[in-house]
Amino acid sequence: MNPVFLPLPFLLAVLSPHCLVGSSTHLEPDRVERLDASLAVGENGERLPFRIDLERTDGTWRAFLINDPERIEVPEVAYDGSHLRLALPHYRSVILAERQGASDAFVGTWTKVRGAARIAKVPFEARLHVPPPARRVRRVLPKNVAGRWAVHFESDENEAVGVFQQEIGDDEVHGTFLTATGDYRYLVGRIEGADLELSCFDGAHAFLFRATVGEDGTLSGAFWSGNWWNETWTARRDPAARVVDAFAQTRWNEEISLADLAFPNTDGEMVSLARPDLRAKARMLVLFGTWCPNCNDEAPYLAELQRTFGPRGLSIVGLAFELTGHFEEDAHQVELFRDRYSIPFPLLLAGTADKAAATEAFAALDRVRSFPTTIFLTWDGRVEAIHSGYAGPATGRAHEELRRAFETHIERLLSESDAQILAETVRRFEALSSSSWWEETPDGEVELRLQRDGGSDAAIRIPHPLDEEAGKPLTSEAVLLGDALWIGNELWKVDAATEVILDPFDAGRRMHPKGNPTPLLFRKGISTPGALLAALAAEDPKLRREALYALALEQQVTADGTDFLVEALRLLADPSLGVRRTAAWTLGRSDDERAVGALLDNLDDPNRSFRREVARALHTIAARRGGERPPWLKRVEEIYPG
């Protein structure tokens, strides 16, 4: 196959499928070329140096990005001595360059997709490598920076740690920085006198660190990430320097459980994290991005964990937060990631890479601080630990400590016996089945009875009144997984705190004790309109949710119910996802134009569950009004067909 070269400028959307792909064979190359390359990252001419090794075997070129000792093979390579194309599709990244006449210099561009409408272009240069003299004359002996440093980056509230290796009298320096969110991978560079330079280019990130050793022994300098980020940093020697505990940063939102969380796979099929086929003794949820180098470091280790511990009861699910927000593009990147690392567990698309939007999309965490974030859960969905970031192989001892910690958590989760799990599940099921549950439907009440029969669990739904039109009782298999109750293929969430069983995907649908749709309010003696309105400001989000639900049942939200409508509109921005979803459902019972406007303003919310509730409410309003279709209904139907 002859190599195909794309002309400059290059558009990422037309990555050639015909370029020569690096072979995985290990034959000795018949030709080797080394390029000393650099990227122009700074406004004042600062360039990030790195090395490219080109190897030809049987007419096929392979290329490697070198961050000594790391050697990253480039998946797609085309090179004919005059034109160079290095593509890393899994990072949506490509280098295109041309030889300048008969010289040994190449000039071109590194192009990287950084978001839906953000494409970075960084000037690239390279020259054929010329070996340095065997003996270099140094005008000044290099300072020694070997050891551990406490580091402060201008933009980071947490202290980082620098770990550097350098032989006495040598000017070559290796190392990395550990931060609260991960590490800066393999850095390599030199120190000339008191001036230190370290860099790394892995196809996704381009890092350049410069600093000067001061008279007091401290470091002071600047950091560049590509040509889009620059900040200052300082450091002081500290053999005891440590980053913040990665297991102590992030908290789980106890209001949210696995039953509330569902995301699409790469085929677009919605997958509930409480689905029975995902149950296991030990569970891990991993928030990651295919664009994230630390996530790429973690991926092969996660695959190893699944293969090692899977037969004993470990189940991992990856939740991808991608760059563009366009489903087809992001799904393709996730599939490339899965294939690249032979990942043997499900990968779902959960949101976009922006951390604020990711926090909204994955409301189970108080905040998404880093990619990756790894969550360890028990068999019934309780959180055992949350780890922010990932200390990769470049961190040496820190990486080994992380592996031991992860495997200790997994072993602890796997230690619970099958008999203990079965006994606890039976106890919970029998507690639920000790009374019947009632659901209000447009056709009347439906009674649910749960029972165990010969070791199997069943759910019997009985329409009331029981007549020919209502039909006969319906019996389905019932499966209880933590607080997730599956009745046939239908998922419900058991909310023990409020003594109701909720539909996690429809805020207006629930099962409750007969005649008492809000037991929590009954228990607290909250029943009058004034008391219910006051409860909307309660500290407990479940009390706010239940008060809002009760008010919505007792009166239609119209312009006449001004106080209630204003409160429902306000609660669309409540910190609690459950309250926000109930507010959307409540406003769907209104014909007030303020309700329609507020709901339309929330159609693009990052949280999929809330967005669907908003769309359902608007669809309900449109259906109730009848007549001519409102112009906004088409947009609504893209989210919720109705």
Side-chain angles (χ1 to χ4, degrees):
M1 180 187 300
N2 294 322
V4 174
F5 305 104
L6 297 181
L8 293 172
F10 175 78
L11 296 178
L12 280 175
V14 291
L15 276 174
S16 168
H18 306 294
C19 59
L20 296 177
V21 178
S23 166
S24 60
T25 60
H26 296 283
L27 298 175
E28 285 297 318
D30 52 55
R31 183 175 174 183
V32 176
E33 291 188 8
R34 176 179 294 179
L35 298 180
D36 292 327
S38 67
L39 297 168
V41 296
E43 294 181 353
N44 298 313
E46 294 88 355
R47 301 196 70 88
L48 181 160
F50 66 101
R51 195 177 103 202
I52 301 171
D53 284 357
L54 295 163
E55 299 179 357
R56 188 183 67 186
T57 304
D58 291 338
T60 298
W61 283 97
R62 300 168 68 192
F64 302 86
L65 305 177
I66 307 300
N67 301 293
D68 195 25
E70 183 180 49
R71 200 165 184 256
I72 302 171
E73 183 162 9
V74 178
E76 297 181 2
V77 180
Y79 179 55
D80 66 355
S82 297
H83 299 81
L84 176 67
R85 177 178 180 273
L86 306 177
L88 297 96
H90 56 292
Y91 285 146
R92 306 192 71 182
S93 166
V94 66
I95 291 173
L96 281 179
E98 293 182 354
R99 187 188 289 269
Q100 301 303 290
S103 73
D104 63 357
F106 291 79
V107 174
T109 304
W110 171 48
T111 304
K112 171 78 174 74
V113 173
R114 300 190 60 239
R118 294 187 301 161
I119 297 180
K121 293 181 179 291
V122 183
F124 166 89
E125 292 182 5
R127 287 185 176 274
L128 293 176
H129 175 71
V130 177
R135 293 178 59 87
R136 288 188 296 160
V137 178
R138 297 192 183 97
R139 289 174 294 179
V140 181
L141 282 176
K143 297 281 188 180
N144 192 285
V145 294
R148 201 169 183 90
W149 297 72
V151 180
H152 174 69
F153 286 101
E154 176 187 355
S155 65
D156 198 340
E157 61 187 23
N158 295 306
E159 197 168 75
V161 175
V163 182
F164 308 136
Q165 298 89 41
Q166 177 190 2
E167 297 294 330
I168 295 176
D170 195 353
D171 61 2
E172 187 169 307
V173 181
H174 296 260
T176 193
F177 292 92
L178 292 84
T179 74
T181 60
D183 68 88
Y184 282 96
R185 310 194 77 253
Y186 292 95
L187 301 174
V188 62
R190 297 190 178 279
I191 183 165
E192 295 187 4
D195 296 325
L196 172 67
E197 180 176 277
L198 293 167
S199 62
C200 168
F201 177 70
D202 58 16
H205 285 174
F207 297 140
L208 174 64
F209 298 86
R210 286 184 176 178
T212 299
V213 182
E215 292 184 2
D216 59 355
T218 62
L219 290 170
S220 178
F223 161 57
W224 291 263
S225 178
N227 60 1
W228 52 83
W229 181 261
N230 173 227
E231 65 176 308
T232 61
W233 64 282
T234 57
R236 54 181 171 77
R237 285 190 182 275
D238 183 353
R242 296 187 66 84
V243 295
V244 296
D245 184 357
F247 281 106
Q249 295 184 58
T250 302
R251 299 186 307 278
W252 185 270
N253 177 0
E254 296 299 333
E255 186 189 352
I256 304 295
S257 73
L258 296 183
D260 296 302
L261 303 171
F263 304 100
N265 60 21
T266 56
D267 294 324
E269 175 194 0
M270 291 299 294
V271 177
S272 167
L273 296 187
R275 208 166 70 176
D277 63 332
L278 297 178
R279 62 181 166 181
K281 272 190 179 182
R283 297 194 60 179
M284 293 171 66
L285 300 179
V286 183
L287 283 61
F288 76 100
T290 62
W291 46 270
C292 156
N294 286 155
C295 303
N296 280 261
D297 281 342
E298 187 184 35
Y301 178 51
L302 292 173
E304 175 190 332
L305 289 176
Q306 183 64 63
R307 294 188 181 97
T308 301
F309 293 101
R312 293 175 53 195
L314 173 66
S315 172
I316 302 176
V317 176
L319 303 175
F321 292 81
E322 292 301 297
L323 291 175
T324 73
H326 301 307
F327 181 82
E328 291 78 10
E329 293 181 47
D330 291 343
H332 177 65
Q333 291 304 118
V334 171
E335 289 172 346
L336 288 177
F337 184 88
R338 178 196 62 206
D339 295 344
R340 179 176 177 81
Y341 297 109
S342 301
I343 291 176
F345 51 82
L347 300 179
L348 310 178
L349 280 87
T352 57
D354 176 79
K355 289 179 183 176
T359 298
E360 293 289 338
F362 192 76
L365 299 183
D366 68 321
R367 183 174 140 203
V368 175
R369 291 172 172 81
S370 62
F371 296 107
T373 293
T374 306
I375 305 166
F376 299 82
L377 302 106
T378 62
W379 63 272
D380 58 350
R382 290 174 290 113
V383 174
E384 203 260 353
I386 302 175
H387 185 276
S388 299
Y390 186 77
T395 66
R397 186 177 64 186
H399 178 61
E400 295 304 317
E401 290 174 352
L402 177 144
R403 289 175 64 103
R404 284 194 294 271
F406 275 28
E407 290 165 36
T408 297
H409 282 292
I410 293 169
E411 289 285 6
R412 184 180 300 128
L413 292 169
L414 292 175
S415 66
E416 192 161 5
S417 71
D418 293 339
Q420 289 173 310
I421 293 173
L422 177 60
E424 177 60 20
T425 302
V426 169
R427 185 193 69 77
R428 295 181 187 184
F429 191 87
E430 289 180 344
L432 277 178
S433 61
S434 62
S435 60
S436 59
W437 299 86
W438 295 76
E439 178 189 0
E440 310 289 341
T441 75
D443 298 322
E445 292 183 317
V446 175
E447 180 186 4
L448 173 73
R449 296 177 185 172
L450 299 171
Q451 66 180 40
R452 291 181 57 77
D453 182 16
S456 64
D457 299 337
I460 302 173
R461 285 181 280 199
I462 307 170
H464 289 268
L466 186 59
D467 54 31
E468 290 185 3
E469 290 186 6
K472 297 179 180 180
L474 176 66
T475 301
S476 304
E477 180 186 15
V479 178
L480 182 64
L481 303 172
D483 65 354
L485 175 64
W486 288 89
I487 300 176
N489 293 322
E490 194 172 36
L491 173 62
W492 295 83
K493 176 183 175 179
V494 179
D495 191 342
T498 57
E499 302 173 48
V500 292
I501 301 176
L502 304 170
D503 182 337
F505 305 112
D506 185 343
R509 190 174 178 220
R510 61 173 56 193
M511 292 186 282
H512 53 79
K514 185 171 178 61
N516 187 6
T518 54
L520 176 65
L521 301 179
F522 179 79
R523 193 169 70 244
K524 290 182 175 290
I526 300 173
S527 59
T528 66
L532 290 170
L533 281 170
L536 295 180
E539 184 177 349
D540 180 1
K542 291 192 175 183
L543 187 56
R544 297 198 300 274
R545 184 196 74 197
E546 293 300 283
L548 185 58
Y549 182 84
L551 283 166
L553 288 183
E554 292 185 11
Q555 66 181 90
Q556 291 291 318
V557 186
T558 64
D560 297 329
T562 303
D563 289 344
F564 184 29
L565 178 62
V566 169
E567 288 299 302
L569 291 168
R570 177 181 66 82
L571 291 172
L572 273 180
D574 193 89
S576 162
L577 176 61
V579 174
R580 291 167 61 209
R581 292 180 62 242
T582 305
W585 167 75
T586 300
L587 293 173
R589 299 162 65 87
S590 168
D591 286 323
D592 192 290
E593 284 302 322
R594 287 175 295 171
V596 174
L599 290 167
L600 287 171
D601 287 343
N602 282 275
L603 263 183
D604 294 321
D605 189 89
N607 186 276
R608 187 182 304 273
S609 173
F610 178 61
R611 197 164 63 238
R612 181 178 174 86
E613 199 70 59
V614 167
R616 182 190 289 113
L618 286 164
H619 205 287
T620 300
I621 292 172
R624 187 171 59 249
R625 287 180 174 180
E628 187 176 345
R629 282 170 55 92
W632 42 259
L633 188 57
K634 181 178 179 181
R635 181 176 165 217
V636 169
E637 288 175 337
E638 293 174 357
I639 300 172
Y640 177 68

